[in-house]
């Protein structure tokens, strides 16, 4: 694959429409680009979701670099080169203090419109 130049692409909203699968045209473009430069993917989702969006179960072997979960899990040439857990890094007590601060701060923000959105933090 590629050369020493590297092109990094965000997946969701850049290579694909938000939360959608990659188009055949974009897949062809990336394949041609990989013949000229190294190509890496960056995404906030977990590896399973990004594999679905990119329609590639061999994603970490297909691309030179893959960074998922906002960079918490990193691959280079098919091999895992980094893994970080915010929980392991901070510890439960500090993490809860941080999350509580963020939630309190956000609860006091005045916005043009505010809606309740359910979300899950996987730590």
């Amino acid at each position: 694959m590629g050369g020493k130049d590297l092109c990094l692409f965000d997946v969701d909203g850049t290579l694909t429409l938000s939360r959608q699968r990659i188009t055949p045209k974009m897949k062809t473009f990336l394949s041609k680009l990989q013949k000229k430069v190294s190509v890496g993917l960056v995404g906030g989702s977990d590896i399973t979701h990004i594999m679905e969006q990119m329609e590639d179960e061999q994603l970490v072997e297909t691309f030179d670099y893959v960074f998922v979960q906002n960079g918490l899990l990193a691959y280079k040439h098919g091999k895992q080169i980094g893994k970080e857990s915010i929980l392991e890094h901070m510890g439960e007590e500090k993490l809860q203090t941080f999350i509580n601060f963020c939630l309190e701060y956000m609860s006091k923000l005045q916005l043009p419109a505010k809606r309740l959105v359910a979300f899950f933090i996987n730590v």
Side-chain angles (χ1 to χ4, degrees):
M1 287 189 207
K4 66 181 189 177
D5 292 325
L6 171 65
C7 291
L8 286 175
F9 295 94
D10 178 54
V11 176
D12 200 27
T14 303
L15 292 179
T16 70
L17 293 174
S18 187
R19 302 282 183 198
Q20 301 298 311
R21 294 181 182 264
I22 192 167
T23 65
K25 186 176 179 180
M26 183 59 76
K27 263 186 129 163
T28 299
F29 166 76
L30 290 173
S31 180
K32 289 179 181 178
L33 183 64
Q34 282 183 288
K35 293 175 183 168
K36 299 177 186 234
V37 299
S38 294
V39 175
L41 304 181
V42 179
S45 300
D46 62 37
I47 190 73
T48 303
H49 186 79
I50 292 177
M51 285 190 299
E52 289 172 6
Q53 279 186 275
M54 296 300 293
E55 296 183 344
D56 186 349
E57 291 190 17
Q58 304 300 315
L59 186 76
V60 298
E61 288 86 16
T62 301
F63 293 92
D64 300 292
Y65 296 89
V66 178
F67 303 96
V68 297
Q69 294 177 298
N70 295 312
L72 293 177
L73 188 54
Y75 297 89
K76 178 181 179 181
H77 303 298
K79 294 187 171 121
Q80 184 178 311
I81 59 169
K83 182 178 181 182
E84 185 64 54
S85 162
I86 192 168
L87 177 58
E88 290 174 17
H89 181 73
M90 294 180 75
E92 184 66 36
E93 186 177 339
K94 285 183 181 177
L95 181 57
Q96 281 199 32
T97 300
F98 173 70
I99 291 171
N100 289 342
F101 169 80
C102 292
L103 291 172
E104 181 180 351
Y105 179 83
M106 289 185 288
S107 74
K108 294 177 181 176
L109 289 175
Q110 292 298 316
L111 304 171
K114 192 184 282 190
R115 305 292 179 266
L116 180 61
V117 177
F119 66 93
F120 298 91
I121 300 174
N122 185 6
V123 290

